Amino acid sequence: MSIVKLKLKQDEFVMLAIVYLYSVLCPYNKVEESFNTQAVHDIVYWQKFIYYYDHIQFPGVVPRTFLGAVSVAIPTGLIATITQCSRVVSCHIARAILGLYVVWSFSAFRRAIKNKFGKTTGNFLVALTCSQFHILFYASRMLPNTFALCAVLLATAHWLTHSWDGFLWWAGLGVLVLRSELVILLGPMLLMELIRGKVDLKELMTSGAQIGLFWLVLSISIDSYLWRYTVWPEMKVLYYNTWLNKSGDWGTMPFLWYFYSALPRLLLTALPLSVIGCLLERRVLSFTLPAILFVSLYSLLPHKEIRFIFYAVPMLNVAAAQVCATLWRRCTVTKLVVLASLAVNALCSAVLLSASYHNYPGGSALLAAHDAYPCEHNTTIYITNYAAQTGASRFGEKCGRQWMYYKIPDMPVAKVRNMQVLILEPKEAHTYRFTHIVTDRINGFDGLGFTKEYPFITVKLKQVLYVLKNKTVKKRLDLEIKQS
């Protein structure tokens, strides 16, 4: 029987509920998510009018594939059409669909883990994942890495069950379409089985060629149509980031950064448990070896982000879950150790959620701009680059064609000055003090602080964005609102 079933267990519904809670509390997106977020919006609302799509106006440094966005946009569009919901609601629907994809993929992965390591290990795998923050927080966020995580979970599930056609299908999607670096995670899995003699090389090459050709044709055809020129996006990304090594332009980190910074934040108390699991049990080490190799090899690239190694977390969590299962069978004291580790994770996740709640000021600023005056009035609004990177997406453009939204970086001051509504950083707002007035000040995350009182940790905020209104337009609109 296939390991991939459209079925979730009770505790996986808890996982899904946590994903949706994070989505509702932090509804906006950051710049890393913007391509897929805008793409889903444009497919749902612009449909065949491609020249109005966001990526045509703001193409970015390298092209990205639309296949992930299309998989979310189709069901989102159907639901939005039937319910006639607002754009804001349709954004929640899109994120709920993506979250469902991730949890469903995780469910297949969990079933494979249960078959290999036992039911208790599978249960603790879910418990650890729920207690940690990043994987479930980003499960509904439209990062390329989130879409790739689904492919990795499903490919790994098929690897564990020796279903090689299924493995090749999901690995092909992950490597050729979504994130090419997955070859150094999924490749070692296949290599291990070839060395063990469990895979026929000739059959593997035949099936792999056919499956690879399918994904290539699908990606090139759909992406070339939407980008309006012939392109294989993931090859472009690979060439730009690896061969040209341009990813370093976005910042660099030391070689060991993933090990001393990213993994501790991702795994929390599961990190020492996973190390113990790898040291004590050979089959656990064999299972986690591809993940360890992936993080090590990926550390060679100078530009590092925590999202780049999401895929290693579920595999390392399995090692920790195996230790938890062993401790759970021992005695009351060891059971308390397991419960304490989950509690510490949950506390850390609460702090991280509190910080993330204030980390999308661009979305809050756009909402404040819309709340200031009714949409019936024709209005031009300028959105600064920082606001666009921290939550001001097309899903938040509530006023449709009544408002014209501009987010062109470095737009001439003379043009910006003529616009009715501005969303600017405080240092920029000073330039427009004679023509506009500040109506809202938006706070953003400014780090964590420590206090002597419970809960001993506080989130520090500072004003990061201003919403400004043109003085002349404000007086006229105030008069119209008062008269109405």
Side-chain angles (χ1 to χ4, degrees):
M1 185 179 293
S2 175
I3 201 71
V4 180
K5 304 175 183 176
L6 291 174
K7 181 181 179 181
L8 300 179
K9 286 185 171 291
Q10 185 175 356
D11 51 2
E12 288 161 351
F13 278 108
V14 173
M15 181 182 291
L16 195 61
I18 295 173
V19 171
Y20 291 166
L21 175 65
Y22 288 157
S23 176
V24 170
L25 292 177
C26 302
Y28 307 118
N29 64 280
K30 279 206 169 181
V31 62
E32 298 89 353
E33 312 155 45
S34 62
F35 172 77
N36 284 306
T37 301
Q38 309 285 37
V40 170
H41 169 277
D42 294 341
I43 294 169
V44 171
Y45 288 100
W46 288 119
Q47 297 175 9
K48 64 180 180 180
F49 300 102
I50 297 172
Y51 288 103
Y52 289 104
Y53 279 36
D54 184 82
H55 73 283
I56 297 296
Q57 302 176 41
F58 309 102
V61 178
V62 288
R64 286 290 185 184
T65 182
F66 278 87
L67 263 64
V70 168
S71 71
V72 171
I74 291 174
T76 301
L78 290 173
I79 296 172
T81 301
I82 293 170
T83 60
Q84 292 296 300
C85 61
S86 67
R87 296 190 185 197
V88 174
V89 174
S90 66
C91 182
H92 285 292
I93 293 170
R95 291 187 58 185
I97 291 169
L98 178 56
L100 180 61
Y101 289 167
V102 173
V103 175
W104 167 67
S105 303
F106 184 90
S107 178
F109 175 73
R110 185 259 191 100
R111 282 194 296 274
I113 294 301
K114 186 184 74 172
N115 292 341
K116 184 175 181 64
F117 294 99
K119 181 179 179 180
T120 307
T121 299
N123 291 339
F124 276 113
L125 172 63
V126 175
L128 285 168
T129 305
C130 287
S131 69
Q132 295 161 346
F133 177 72
H134 289 86
I135 294 299
L136 296 190
F137 180 78
Y138 284 98
S140 69
R141 313 198 76 86
M142 296 185 197
L143 294 166
N145 313 83
T146 303
F147 290 101
L149 178 62
C150 295
V152 170
L153 288 169
L154 292 167
T156 307
H158 284 92
W159 170 48
L160 290 171
T161 56
H162 306 294
S163 176
W164 302 120
D165 281 346
F167 174 85
L168 290 173
W169 275 106
W170 294 111
L173 172 63
V175 173
L176 298 175
V177 179
L178 298 173
R179 298 290 299 188
S180 57
E181 71 268 17
L182 293 181
V183 69
I184 59 176
L185 174 64
L186 301 174
M189 295 181 186
L190 206 55
L191 182 61
M192 288 169 62
E193 303 308 321
L194 283 169
I195 294 173
R196 292 169 180 168
K198 294 184 178 181
V199 184
D200 182 85
L201 181 60
K202 184 177 180 180
E203 291 183 7
L204 181 69
M205 293 181 64
T206 302
S207 298
Q210 295 172 349
I211 292 169
L213 182 62
F214 171 84
W215 287 121
L216 279 177
V217 171
L218 186 65
S219 175
I220 293 173
S221 57
I222 292 177
D223 290 320
S224 297
Y225 173 74
L226 290 168
W227 279 104
R228 314 311 290 168
Y229 64 92
T230 303
V231 63
W232 174 16
E234 201 49 36
M235 178 55 70
K236 282 267 191 179
V237 173
L238 179 65
Y239 176 74
Y240 180 87
N241 287 336
T242 306
W243 184 260
L244 298 180
N245 199 23
K246 290 288 188 178
S247 63
D249 295 346
W250 308 102
T252 61
M253 292 292 180
F255 174 79
L256 293 175
W257 183 82
Y258 283 134
F259 292 96
Y260 70 74
S261 180
L263 285 177
R265 284 180 285 159
L266 285 165
L267 294 170
L268 300 175
T269 62
L271 179 58
L273 293 175
S274 63
V275 174
I276 293 171
C278 291
L279 292 175
L280 293 183
E281 192 169 345
R282 183 177 178 182
R283 63 174 183 156
V284 170
L285 177 60
S286 177
F287 172 73
T288 56
L289 191 59
I292 298 170
L293 183 63
F294 169 74
V295 177
S296 301
L297 292 175
Y298 209 57
S299 296
L300 295 172
L301 287 179
H303 179 60
K304 297 176 176 66
E305 294 184 37
I306 199 168
R307 62 189 176 98
F308 293 163
I309 60 168
F310 278 170
Y311 331 109
V313 174
M315 300 179 71
L316 295 174
N317 271 342
V318 170
Q322 182 73 349
V323 175
C324 288
T326 302
L327 293 175
W328 195 256
R329 300 186 192 102
R330 292 292 175 88
C331 62
T332 302
V333 174
T334 55
K335 286 183 179 179
L336 290 175
V337 170
V338 173
L339 293 175
S341 68
L342 294 174
V344 170
N345 284 357
L347 180 62
C348 293
S349 295
V351 173
L352 291 169
L353 176 60
S354 180
S356 298
Y357 181 80
H358 299 284
N359 211 17
Y360 299 86
S364 301
L366 187 58
L367 179 64
H370 286 121
D371 289 343
Y373 297 105
C375 286
E376 288 77 14
H377 301 280
N378 293 324
T379 303
T380 53
I381 175 172
Y382 177 75
I383 302 171
T384 192
N385 188 48
Y386 178 73
Q389 291 182 348
T390 58
S393 74
R394 285 191 169 186
F395 278 111
E397 297 175 1
K398 295 168 59 177
C399 296
R401 296 183 180 180
Q402 281 75 29
W403 285 31
M404 295 294 294
Y405 300 85
Y406 296 89
K407 58 175 184 177
I408 301 172
D410 301 321
M411 180 176 279
V413 172
K415 290 186 178 181
V416 176
R417 187 175 285 123
N418 290 327
M419 296 189 185
Q420 288 101 323
V421 182
L422 311 179
I423 299 177
L424 300 172
E425 295 183 62
K427 61 183 179 182
E428 300 171 313
H430 182 73
T431 306
Y432 305 95
R433 64 189 183 280
F434 298 116
T435 56
H436 293 73
I437 62 172
V438 177
T439 59
D440 284 283
R441 292 173 171 84
I442 308 300
N443 291 327
F445 177 68
D446 191 37
L448 297 175
F450 299 92
T451 64
K452 295 181 180 179
E453 299 178 356
Y454 181 83
F456 310 113
I457 299 175
T458 181
V459 175
K460 296 189 290 185
L461 303 175
K462 68 175 182 179
Q463 293 180 357
V464 293
L465 287 172
Y466 287 171
V467 179
L468 300 90
K469 301 294 189 298
N470 188 288
K471 292 180 180 180
T472 304
V473 175
K474 183 182 184 302
K475 291 178 181 178
R476 175 177 60 80
L477 291 177
D478 283 342
L479 179 62
E480 291 180 8
I481 293 171
K482 186 176 181 181
Q483 290 175 346
S484 61

